[in-house]
Amino acid sequence: MTFLKALAATAVSAAIAFAPLVAPAQELAGKKIGIAAREITNDYNRDIISGAQKTLEAAGAEVVVTDGGADPRKHNENIESLINSGVAGVVVQLGDAQQLAPVVQKASDAGVPVVTTSVGSKTSGALADVGGDDALMSALMSRALLSSIDYQGDVYVFWVPGAPILETRKRVLEALAKDYPQVRLHEVPTEHSAARVQTQMEDLLVANPEPGSVAAVWGAYDLLVSGAVEAIRRNGRSEIKVAAIDGDRVGFQMLLDQDSPFIATVVQDVPRIGSLAAEILIQGIGGKADFPSTLFTDAWLATHANAVAAAEKRWGSTVWEDLAIDRADVEARWPQDGELQIVHPILP
């Protein structure tokens, strides 16, 4: 067995280890559970909510979802409102551990268990944080992107300052790039707006008109960097390589488009983030308090060489209808000879 195949097998074993967290049906009958989302703008947000909601409703709970509209203050206010409304527990999607700590402490004082998702570290007072391993995912994506430019050239880095998991992803890129002195990173701080990124990329292309003057674009997540991909396409700069993280539908649309500069995305098992958080919360409501501080779901790198398997694992066989893309065209355009390697951090 090769190392990579062994790694994949280990990942499957690790995923199975979480199975006992599934709660008995109707355990939450008559109880209300809150899901507080910082924002609901892409597949990542929606599928965490969906994964949690299905698990909670299967256990008999009434689920209330709030949307902070990307405003951290509003997000905290929504969590506090849920606590005051008498919920039995709260799943929090996204946020900063320090900013969330006061309101999570209020929940703890009121006897309301909280599980966070995709915060990147455990918030004081919460049962656990569930998400993808952002350091691992960034290493996979950053390696793929830098390899595609043979570890040389100017790389423009789009991220949103202050967003904890995006800061983690960026730090890993920086650490990796230090080993390659011919790679020059250029920070492009931005907002959670593909339109804003498109404008910024347009300006960069005007300032760097010569082919090769921009080697690559690193995006903190798929939807964010979709604006850069559109700007590159409109300007006919197909030599520029782009990669990101999440494996959203928009990520696969960019990856599978014949004329797109997008070469890779790291796909997360996003629905499992939500369902695992819900399972932990159900057990927390039942009195269990001993959980790992952080728990992670599977991830895999999608490229042209394994795009069919990567897309179908994330979205199912109906993905081709959803994306209005012909699977046969994809297979004819890019030989599907790349293995799909599932990665999962192993916790002791």
Side-chain angles (χ1 to χ4, degrees):
M1 179 181 288
T2 67
F3 171 76
L4 288 177
K5 287 183 178 178
L7 180 62
T10 303
V12 172
S13 299
I16 293 173
F18 289 128
L21 290 175
V22 176
Q26 302 305 305
E27 187 171 338
L28 297 184
K31 294 183 179 179
K32 184 168 67 173
I33 302 294
I35 300 177
R38 189 184 64 192
E39 66 258 3
I40 307 175
T41 59
N42 59 11
D43 292 328
Y44 180 79
N45 304 136
R46 289 185 287 269
D47 283 355
I48 290 178
I49 294 169
S50 176
Q53 189 164 2
K54 287 178 181 177
T55 299
L56 293 167
E57 289 178 346
E62 174 191 350
V63 177
V64 178
V65 179
T66 65
D67 179 4
D71 182 342
R73 181 176 298 178
K74 176 63 174 174
H75 188 32
N76 273 23
E77 290 173 354
N78 287 342
I79 298 168
E80 189 164 3
S81 294
L82 287 169
I83 297 166
N84 293 337
S85 72
V87 295
V90 180
V91 174
V92 175
Q93 181 201 96
L94 295 174
D96 179 278
Q98 291 184 329
Q99 292 175 344
L100 290 170
V103 71
V104 170
Q105 186 59 52
K106 288 182 181 180
S108 181
D109 293 343
V112 179
V114 174
V115 178
T116 63
T117 64
S118 301
V119 169
S121 61
K122 183 178 178 180
T123 301
S124 179
L127 294 174
D129 182 62
V130 183
D133 187 330
D134 291 286
L136 177 60
M137 292 189 294
S138 181
L140 290 171
M141 184 271 279
S142 299
R143 174 68 69 187
L145 184 65
L146 296 185
S147 175
S148 75
I149 60 172
D150 197 25
Y151 301 96
Q152 54 189 320
D154 293 272
V155 179
Y156 288 81
V157 180
F158 286 86
W159 95 110
V160 180
I165 63 174
L166 305 190
E167 294 280 9
T168 296
R169 294 173 183 181
K170 175 173 167 287
R171 284 197 304 272
V172 171
L173 165 68
E174 292 167 343
L176 181 59
K178 284 185 177 180
D179 290 334
Y180 302 97
Q182 294 185 67
V183 171
R184 296 173 295 277
L185 301 182
H186 304 271
E187 295 186 351
V188 189
T190 190
E191 305 161 4
H192 292 289
S193 167
R196 171 62 177 153
V197 170
Q198 182 172 341
T199 298
Q200 289 173 297
M201 192 70 219
E202 293 277 2
D203 291 343
L204 285 171
L205 294 175
V206 170
N208 299 275
E210 295 299 321
S213 55
V214 177
V217 170
W218 182 98
Y221 62 91
D222 291 351
L223 183 60
L224 185 74
V225 83
S226 64
V229 168
E230 183 61 22
I232 291 167
R233 292 182 58 172
R234 289 188 179 188
N235 285 271
R237 297 291 296 275
S238 59
E239 82 280 3
I240 299 172
K241 309 299 184 183
V242 185
I245 294 173
D246 277 351
D248 282 356
R249 285 184 180 88
V250 69
F252 277 104
Q253 286 172 330
M254 293 187 295
L255 181 65
L256 300 175
D257 190 322
Q258 184 174 8
D259 299 321
S260 172
F262 196 74
I263 62 156
T265 180
V266 175
V267 191
Q268 300 190 62
D269 188 350
V270 179
R272 183 58 180 148
I273 294 175
S275 63
L276 181 56
E279 291 164 14
I280 293 169
L281 184 65
I282 291 168
Q283 292 203 7
I285 292 170
K288 180 175 171 59
D290 184 19
F291 299 98
S293 292
T294 53
L295 295 100
F296 305 104
T297 62
D298 294 343
W300 54 96
L301 181 71
T303 68
H304 291 144
N306 68 0
V308 169
E312 291 186 352
K313 178 167 179 58
R314 172 64 175 92
W315 299 104
S317 60
T318 62
V319 65
W320 312 109
E321 297 172 11
D322 296 341
L323 298 180
I325 293 174
D326 189 328
R327 173 179 170 169
D329 285 347
V330 173
E331 293 173 324
R333 190 176 303 139
W334 298 294
Q336 295 300 293
D337 52 6
E339 289 190 63
L340 183 67
Q341 300 292 344
I342 311 302
V343 297
H344 191 103
I346 307 302
L347 307 181

